[in-house]
Amino acid sequence: MKIAIIGGTGSIGKGFALRWGQKHEVVIGSREQEKARAKAAEYTYILKDRGLNANIKGELNAIAASDADVVVLAIRYTKVASILEQINPVLNKQVVISVVVPMEKDVCMIYPGSIPLEVPASDSEDYKSDYFCYVTPSAGSAAQEIASLLPKGVELVSAFQNVPAAKLSNLDIHLDYDIGVCGNSMYSKNIVFDLIRNIDSMRPIDIGPIDASSMIECLTPLLLNIAVRNKMRDVGIKFIG
Ligand SMILES: NC(=O)c1ccc[n+]([C@@H]2O[C@H](COP(=O)([O-])OP(=O)(O)OC[C@H]3O[C@@H](n4cnc5c(N)ncnc54)[C@H](OP(=O)(O)O)[C@@H]3O)[C@@H](O)[C@H]2O)c1
């Protein structure tokens, strides 16, 4: 399978490239061709140094996306619209994966209209610091917004929001995580389920249609708050049942 990772030069993109580059044809997408090629060479070196297969190239985002089977949007929420303007002209048959989380830090302790929390003055700064919250897009979630911006007929699957980049790119770490998946096409979701199963011992969990994506996007600030407040690192999710 040919997988384009848009923003593959960044934190989470590196992890996908290292995991999938062993089994698939991965193209790192970037706004700069030289940066994409340098990162592809770096990731190839990491894999080859461990005696692993590596099939990783670097290209401009639109070239990477043009003949891919799967396109991963590994970019921040605020950059999505500008990136889609670049790659939409080449999207037609690809399955697009959104890992995007609209999230802010330290801004939402008190929502407009809510009753202010009575936190003692001496304690208030500590209470507010390092607090992460989900910033709900007007469409309901990042995935619903992205789906509305994609060309007609291009299927979007939302997944991987709850995997920390540091763990994904550390090949020594065992990834016994559950990954929630949302999408409207079972055919596209099955492709993503297989990509999840390709990564160590990750397990795909079907959450429902794209309209359910806010539920999995919200997991990221939840997990970060748990990590910060309870002195845990790279917290993940495992469903028991
Ligand atoms: N980090 C995590 O642990 C994690 C986990 C799960 C999901 N996510 C989600 O994954 C997405 C990417 O996160 P990340 O931490 O990997 O991001 P990141 O490293 O900050 O950025 C990813 C890439 O975005 C591109 N970029 C930077 N500024 C841009 C701009 N102004 N316009 C267009 N592209 C720009 C850069 O690629 P070029 O400069 O090469 O173009 C950069 O390498 C986010 O939506 C995040 O919510 C992250």
Side-chain angles (χ1 to χ4, degrees):
M1 180 159 299
K2 194 162 183 177
I3 305 169
I5 307 174
I6 306 304
T9 56
S11 311
I12 193 84
K14 177 181 180 180
F16 290 131
L18 293 179
R19 301 284 174 170
W20 289 329
Q22 302 171 44
K23 295 175 181 151
H24 298 279
E25 198 178 338
V26 165
V27 187
I28 301 300
S30 170
R31 291 165 298 164
E32 297 167 46
Q33 193 178 59
E34 278 316 303
K35 186 176 173 185
R37 291 187 175 165
K39 285 291 177 182
E42 179 193 320
Y43 304 160
T44 299
Y45 177 82
I46 292 170
L47 292 176
K48 295 240 158 151
D49 194 42
R50 301 172 74 102
L52 299 168
N53 284 335
N55 189 350
I56 307 176
K57 288 193 312 188
E59 279 298 350
L60 287 169
N61 285 323
I63 296 173
S66 60
D67 66 338
D69 304 300
V70 170
V71 174
V72 183
L73 297 176
I75 44 174
R76 297 197 178 201
Y77 171 68
T78 51
K79 318 297 180 208
V80 166
S82 68
I83 289 288
L84 286 182
E85 272 177 27
Q86 290 170 32
I87 67 167
N88 267 353
V90 301
L91 294 181
N92 47 65
K93 62 183 188 328
Q94 302 91 327
V95 172
V96 177
I97 303 178
S98 169
V99 307
V100 176
V101 181
M103 190 178 77
E104 295 283 351
K105 197 176 167 200
D106 294 344
V107 295
C108 46
M109 200 57 210
I110 299 168
Y111 286 92
S114 69
I115 300 165
L117 288 170
E118 286 189 22
V119 179
S122 59
D123 201 26
S124 59
E125 281 316 304
D126 176 52
Y127 199 66
K128 282 205 298 191
S129 67
D130 284 334
Y131 178 77
F132 296 86
C133 75
Y134 183 69
V135 181
T136 312
S138 55
S141 65
Q144 285 168 286
E145 183 174 327
I146 292 167
S148 74
L149 295 172
L150 288 174
K152 207 167 180 313
V154 173
E155 284 295 338
L156 181 72
V157 177
S158 174
F160 293 108
Q161 288 85 356
N162 58 317
V163 59
K167 279 200 171 172
L168 193 62
S169 58
N170 184 341
L171 299 177
D172 293 325
I173 289 182
H174 185 57
L175 288 169
D176 190 16
Y177 279 34
D178 282 345
I179 304 295
V181 182
C182 296
N184 296 341
S185 146
M186 209 55 227
Y187 170 81
S188 303
K189 277 206 276 198
N190 277 327
I191 289 173
V192 178
F193 290 168
D194 285 343
L195 288 174
I196 292 168
R197 292 189 192 103
N198 283 165
I199 300 178
D200 201 0
S201 40
M202 272 187 189
R203 182 175 66 158
I205 298 286
D206 191 349
I207 302 292
I210 277 293
D211 286 2
S213 186
S214 65
M215 297 185 208
I216 52 173
E217 294 174 18
C218 281
L219 291 175
T220 305
L222 169 70
L223 295 173
L224 286 168
N225 288 329
I226 291 171
V228 169
R229 290 177 183 269
N230 298 279
K231 300 193 171 27
M232 297 163 75
R233 292 196 63 178
D234 298 330
V235 183
I237 278 199
K238 192 87 194 150
F239 296 99
I240 310 289

